[in-house]
Amino acid sequence: MIQPLDIGEYRNVYEPGKVECASTEEMRPLEEIIGQERALRALRFGLEIREAGFNVYAAGAQGTGRVRAVRSFLDELAKAKSRASDWVYVHNFENQYEPNAVALPAGKGTEFREDVKRFIEEARQALPRAFQSEEYARRRDETLQALQGNRTDLIARINQKAQEAGFVIQMSPIGLLTIPVIDGRPVPEEEFINLPDEVRAEVQRRRDALNTELRSTLRQVQDIERQGAEAVKDLNHDIALYAIGNLVAELQEKYADVPEVPGYIDAVQNDILENIQIFLGVPEQQQGVPPQFQAFMREIPFRKYEVNVVVDNAATEGAPVVFEQNPTFQNLLGKIEKEVQFGIFTTDFTMIRPGSLHRANGGYLVLEVEDLLRAPLSWDGLKTALKTGEAVIEEPGERMGFITAKTIKPEPIPLDIKVALIGTPMIYQILYRMDTDFKELFKVKADFDIVMERTDENANKYADFICNLVREENLRHLEREAIARVIEYGSRLAADREKLSTRFSAVADLIREANFYAAENGAEQIERRHVTKAIEEKIYRSNLIQQKIEEAIRRGIFLIDTGGEKVGQVNGLSVIGLGDFAFGRPSKVTASIGVGREGIVDIEREAALGGPIHTKGVLIISGYLNNNYARDKPLSLSARLVFEQSYEGIEGDSASSTELYALLSALSGLPLKQYLAVTGSVNQRGEVQAIGGVNEKLEGFFEVCKAKGLDGSQGALIPASNVQNLMLKEEIVEAAKAGKFRIYPVRTIDEGIEVLTGVPAGIQREDGTYEEGTVNYLVDRRLREMAETMRGFQPTTAK
């Protein structure tokens, strides 16, 4: 019969003497990410390779340092890279609805905007001065004087010919009128109608002849006026060009090496020359516009000369690194704002706003994948940008085809970016399987582990991490014994005596709570007792339901026996998870048997309370019985298995060995020790396999035993392969040292049944029989008797 587990196996104590210093005050702050060599190697590769599609997905559990690792790595990597370009949007003078994007060297975007602004302000002062000068007036008069003389001669000639033909010329809103002169005076139209027909005919004949010559002369006048307008326009062009030429040349020289900027400056100059009038003084008051808006209206024509800086890397050291905390579609891909002008929504290129994709262009963008997927259209927008290599700013409704209102369409900005997504392994698997683009765009997976080896080197790195935390947050330093206690807590979080948890957020929270209790006690440093109290208080805040269940067991509401022996009944151990807290709950498992052909009936499954894995465990029990007892006879068994007083779903196969023990007891008639609890799954060959939550299960049964009274007989059976997971609380260790609680590591069902019954299990002989008096012998005999009973049973029929 196997022996109880050695006390030293209950908890892997970390000796304070292994800590290299008396307190964290003497230690160096941590400068590296510990326990994540695999993830850091993947990060380094994914963020440094420049080929398309090699973006990074950092997969890991919450609190494993994913964000800190990515941030720390990118901060160092970005410093070694060159600064990214600034980007501005400017007016497109050929198509105002498609603003142009212009790239400038880092830090030059704002400078270019101010230079253009200053240029326009100086042009608004220089042009009025030039056109108000005496020189301009003189040249304009000279230009028009010769043309004016020709025009005067032509008009005099027209008047002369009209007089000779007996007419006078009169100007009217509809043009020139030829009015006949009779008897020395002009004849109005109403008198002309009453003249004799022959007189009117003669007058009309002379009028038609005059009008023909008059039209020819008027065309010459119009040509002269047109020539005058063109001459004045050419003069204005020359004067304006002279007035702003030096300003334009200065800009051209300063930005000669920047592509697209010289062309834009030429376009601005040409537009100014085409629209000189807006620079020449204040326009007349517009009808219907309130006085308070007049200044606004005067400035609107000049808005097209502004420069909209959307990306400014002047203050950036190295490549930009952007952590987008709220990746909505507009925050990620930019937006086009609108303003109300006289009751109408309007927009232009000055209201283009960048997204984090633009700000991170030329560098790195980090996103939380859960936030990204929750934001409508953001995931599709990011994929489109990465596939096309362009950042397009558009309205969400327009992207979906819901909005067709006329708006601007900014020129796309070319993308040179590396994206790092931070999320869980489950989301990675979902995206990899369900989204065909994901595997092509995020080819690098950086997998963050939740545990690392518990070596002395890593334990001291744990202490370095603690040192870093207390310095960053100005907490009290930890004594050597407190550091050792935190390291033990790391193994408990990992549920493995040979591992340490890398869920550093949980470790950090523990230290913060311990600092609180140290402050309450007025201690200068955090001691071991403060860490222990923080652990206990954290449990106390969350274990109300556990205490209610333990109270129900103590008062006999939930029937759990912790003493005596009973046939077909055993205490099983399960875990209840409440999100922030998990605890073990003992459950009474019973088995009933009878003659029949139904086999093993899982009552939990029949009641729709058992999950598929639990059902699998019950079916494995059937395989075990067939393998061990049905080689020479049919199983004529009808058995029922149930978790008594279970009112919620049951899942998992960790109770399969427990159910098998209850069934073997019912078949053999041997009672099982009720002061021992059982956990472990089983395979068809009777090997007991590892399960999860072994610490919580043992502690849950211990609490029940303590509440009902520890008498030195209580204990539990666990799979031998789970011994390496034991990090039990110190109270159980002390109880074990006092001989009040025992743990039995079992490898097979035979070992477990011997402990539970005190009877040898029995080894199968070559002829298939078992040693007389053993558990297996009694089970086999009972099954044989049931098979014979079934064979000889003749059901009666009614006559």
Side-chain angles (χ1 to χ4, degrees):
M1 186 176 296
I2 62 171
Q3 297 301 311
L5 192 66
D6 184 75
I7 303 299
E9 300 290 335
Y10 280 50
R11 179 184 183 86
N12 189 3
V13 176
Y14 192 80
E15 296 297 335
K18 293 183 178 180
V19 180
E20 295 178 346
C21 59
S23 74
T24 53
E25 192 171 7
E26 302 176 6
M27 304 196 72
R28 58 179 176 83
L30 184 69
E31 298 180 355
E32 59 180 295
I33 306 299
I34 60 175
Q36 303 293 355
E37 289 78 9
R38 182 191 303 273
L40 293 178
R41 184 172 174 179
L43 273 179
R44 183 174 293 105
F45 166 74
L47 295 176
E48 290 189 353
I49 187 172
R50 300 311 304 172
E51 280 70 19
F54 284 88
N55 296 293
V56 178
Y57 187 103
Q62 185 72 26
T64 53
R66 301 166 301 172
V67 176
R68 182 173 179 272
V70 172
R71 185 186 297 273
S72 175
F73 191 84
L74 283 180
D75 286 344
E76 292 300 321
L77 183 63
K79 290 178 182 178
K81 306 293 183 181
S82 59
R83 291 196 298 171
S85 299
D86 288 354
W87 283 92
V88 302
Y89 272 106
V90 296
H91 182 73
N92 184 347
F93 293 97
E94 295 182 359
N95 184 351
Q96 63 176 328
Y97 297 105
E98 296 183 2
N100 291 328
V102 178
L104 294 102
K108 291 291 184 179
T110 301
E111 185 178 348
F112 179 62
R113 179 186 63 193
E114 296 304 317
D115 286 343
V116 173
K117 180 180 179 181
R118 183 166 50 252
F119 164 69
I120 296 299
E121 289 174 350
E122 292 177 355
R124 293 179 68 176
Q125 296 173 6
L127 288 173
R129 284 199 305 266
F131 283 90
Q132 292 170 6
S133 65
E134 294 181 359
E135 175 66 18
Y136 171 73
R138 183 185 63 79
R139 292 180 61 181
R140 188 175 188 278
D141 290 342
E142 290 177 354
T143 301
L144 296 177
Q145 189 171 4
L147 296 173
Q148 186 66 29
N150 294 336
R151 182 177 182 277
T152 303
D153 292 341
L154 286 173
I155 293 176
R157 191 184 309 162
I158 291 174
N159 288 328
Q160 179 65 32
K161 288 185 177 182
Q163 291 176 6
E164 294 174 355
F167 293 91
V168 295
I169 303 298
Q170 182 178 340
M171 300 295 296
S172 76
I174 61 174
L176 296 177
L177 299 179
T178 54
I179 301 175
V181 177
I182 301 176
D183 297 330
R185 69 179 184 83
V187 178
E189 185 66 22
E190 57 271 15
E191 292 184 19
F192 179 75
I193 296 174
N194 296 324
L195 293 175
D197 293 341
E198 59 276 10
V199 175
R200 284 190 288 109
E202 175 60 22
V203 171
Q204 188 62 41
R205 182 187 62 77
R206 288 186 285 112
R207 174 182 282 173
D208 292 341
L210 177 62
N211 284 339
T212 300
E213 188 171 353
L214 185 63
R215 280 194 295 270
S216 175
T217 305
L218 284 177
R219 282 196 295 270
Q220 296 178 44
V221 172
Q222 290 173 350
D223 288 341
I224 291 173
E225 291 177 346
R226 189 177 299 109
Q227 292 173 13
E230 290 179 356
V232 171
K233 183 177 179 182
D234 291 341
L235 175 62
N236 291 345
H237 181 277
D238 293 340
I239 295 297
L241 187 60
Y242 177 78
I244 67 173
N246 61 326
L247 302 177
V248 173
E250 182 182 348
L251 270 181
Q252 291 280 21
E253 182 180 355
K254 184 173 183 179
Y255 295 98
D257 297 332
V258 182
E260 299 187 27
V261 171
Y264 168 70
I265 296 174
D266 287 340
V268 171
Q269 174 182 271
N270 294 335
D271 190 76
I272 291 175
L273 297 177
E274 291 292 329
N275 299 279
I276 297 174
Q277 66 279 2
I278 70 172
F279 287 83
L280 303 180
V282 180
E284 297 181 359
Q285 297 290 318
Q286 298 189 26
Q287 297 296 326
V289 179
Q292 61 268 30
F293 292 117
Q294 291 292 337
F296 172 74
M297 293 297 294
R298 288 195 297 269
E299 293 301 318
I300 284 180
F302 296 99
R303 182 178 286 185
K304 62 182 174 181
Y305 301 121
E306 295 181 14
V307 174
N308 182 11
V309 181
V310 293
V311 178
D312 182 9
N313 287 309
T316 304
E317 296 182 8
V321 179
V322 177
F323 284 76
E324 179 55 67
Q325 303 295 328
N326 183 25
T328 62
F329 183 84
Q330 293 182 326
N331 286 351
L332 184 63
L333 296 163
K335 59 185 175 181
I336 302 171
E337 294 180 344
K338 296 177 177 60
E339 65 182 7
V340 178
Q341 294 182 5
F342 309 108
I344 301 173
F345 278 105
T346 63
T347 189
D348 57 37
F349 76 97
T350 63
M351 286 179 271
I352 299 172
R353 300 294 177 260
S356 51
L357 204 63
H358 301 85
R359 295 194 301 273
N361 195 14
Y364 307 91
L365 174 62
V366 184
L367 301 166
E368 294 272 4
V369 69
E370 292 184 16
D371 297 333
L372 179 66
L373 295 177
R374 274 196 294 264
L377 300 178
S378 292
W379 174 239
D380 286 337
L382 176 63
K383 289 194 302 178
T384 300
L386 293 178
K387 286 191 293 185
T388 61
E390 293 180 338
V392 179
I393 300 178
E394 58 184 342
E395 296 289 344
E398 184 180 357
R399 180 180 181 85
M400 298 181 68
F402 294 158
I403 297 177
T404 58
K406 191 172 186 179
T407 184
I408 61 175
K409 186 176 182 181
E411 180 184 3
I413 292 179
L415 273 183
D416 177 20
I417 194 171
K418 187 70 70 170
V419 178
L421 296 182
I422 298 176
T424 63
M426 181 180 69
I427 294 180
Y428 177 87
Q429 294 298 329
I430 292 173
L431 290 174
Y432 194 88
R433 294 175 183 174
M434 306 300 293
D435 193 323
T436 56
D437 294 325
F438 177 75
K439 64 185 69 175
E440 296 299 325
L441 296 175
F442 292 88
K443 296 181 179 181
V444 180
K445 179 184 179 184
D447 225 343
F448 283 77
D449 201 351
I450 59 173
V451 296
M452 63 181 182
E453 296 295 329
R454 180 172 155 173
T455 63
D456 289 341
E457 179 183 0
N458 283 341
N460 282 299
K461 287 182 178 179
Y462 234 60
D464 291 338
F465 162 76
I466 297 170
C467 173
N468 199 44
L469 176 70
V470 298
R471 290 179 188 274
E472 285 181 356
E473 301 189 10
N474 197 27
L475 306 176
R476 286 169 172 76
H477 283 281
L478 280 73
E479 292 182 345
R480 175 183 280 116
E481 290 77 8
I483 295 173
R485 185 68 179 86
V486 173
I487 292 172
E488 292 175 11
Y489 180 74
S491 289
R492 174 58 187 256
L493 280 179
D496 194 321
R497 59 190 298 113
E498 304 299 332
K499 304 285 185 181
L500 287 171
S501 174
T502 56
R503 292 166 52 202
F504 292 107
S505 61
V507 177
D509 287 342
L510 174 68
I511 296 170
R512 295 182 186 108
E513 293 185 35
N515 180 74
F516 172 81
Y517 295 117
E520 268 193 338
N521 294 339
E524 294 184 0
Q525 292 185 331
I526 299 174
E527 303 170 8
R528 183 182 182 92
R529 61 191 176 99
H530 300 136
V531 178
T532 301
K533 182 175 178 60
I535 295 172
E536 292 173 349
E537 289 295 322
K538 182 177 178 64
I539 294 173
Y540 180 75
R541 292 195 297 268
S542 302
N543 72 343
L544 176 62
I545 295 179
Q546 180 186 19
Q547 291 187 348
K548 293 290 185 181
I549 293 175
E550 290 173 2
E551 180 185 2
I553 294 174
R554 186 175 65 252
R555 296 174 60 188
I557 298 172
F558 289 157
L559 302 179
I560 298 292
D561 295 325
T562 59
E565 299 180 358
K566 290 186 178 180
V567 175
Q569 176 178 310
V570 67
N571 290 325
L573 299 176
S574 59
V575 173
I576 295 178
L578 301 177
D580 62 329
F581 180 66
F583 63 92
R585 176 195 172 181
S587 299
K588 180 187 292 187
V589 178
T590 61
S592 61
I593 62 169
V595 178
R597 301 188 185 278
E598 293 178 281
I600 301 175
V601 176
D602 179 11
I603 294 179
E604 305 297 338
R605 179 187 179 187
E606 296 298 317
L609 291 176
I613 299 178
H614 177 262
T615 300
K616 176 185 175 183
V618 174
L619 295 176
I620 289 175
I621 293 175
S622 298
Y624 173 84
L625 294 178
N626 276 283
N627 186 58
N628 285 272
Y629 307 112
R631 297 183 180 181
D632 57 351
K633 56 185 174 299
L635 280 180
S636 302
L637 174 67
S638 177
R640 302 289 190 276
L641 293 173
V642 68
F643 280 73
E644 303 291 356
Q645 293 184 292
S646 170
Y647 308 108
E648 64 277 333
I650 295 177
E651 181 59 305
D653 64 349
S654 63
S656 57
S657 67
T658 309
E659 293 168 317
L660 181 53
Y661 291 136
L663 188 58
L664 293 177
S665 171
L667 287 169
S668 66
L670 296 173
L672 301 179
K673 300 171 182 177
Q674 300 303 296
Y675 43 84
L676 296 178
V678 178
T679 186
S681 69
V682 66
N683 61 27
Q684 293 187 106
R685 297 186 178 277
E687 297 170 326
V688 178
Q689 303 166 144
I691 43 83
V694 64
N695 292 297
E696 290 80 3
K697 291 176 178 179
L698 290 173
E699 289 169 357
F701 186 64
F702 175 81
E703 291 297 329
V704 170
C705 293
K706 184 176 70 171
K708 300 188 75 170
L710 289 169
D711 58 15
S713 64
Q714 289 101 338
L717 279 67
I718 66 170
S721 53
N722 275 126
V723 171
Q724 59 190 327
N725 301 113
L726 292 181
M727 282 297 296
L728 296 169
K729 60 183 182 180
E730 294 172 327
E731 185 182 8
I732 297 182
V733 178
E734 295 303 319
K737 289 180 180 178
K740 295 183 177 180
F741 197 81
R742 296 177 177 82
I743 297 175
Y744 296 89
V746 298
R747 292 177 174 79
T748 64
I749 291 297
D750 285 349
E751 289 181 354
I753 199 67
E754 287 181 353
V755 174
L756 289 169
T757 62
V759 178
I763 300 174
Q764 192 174 39
R765 301 184 180 121
E766 293 183 1
D767 60 358
T769 62
Y770 294 92
E771 299 174 11
E772 190 171 347
T774 62
V775 176
N776 285 326
Y777 171 81
L778 296 174
V779 171
D780 185 66
R781 186 180 66 180
R782 181 65 183 276
L783 289 173
R784 189 178 300 278
E785 291 172 354
M786 295 171 72
E788 292 174 354
T789 301
M790 193 69 185
R791 186 183 305 116
F793 177 71
Q794 296 294 333
T796 57
T797 56
K799 296 184 180 179

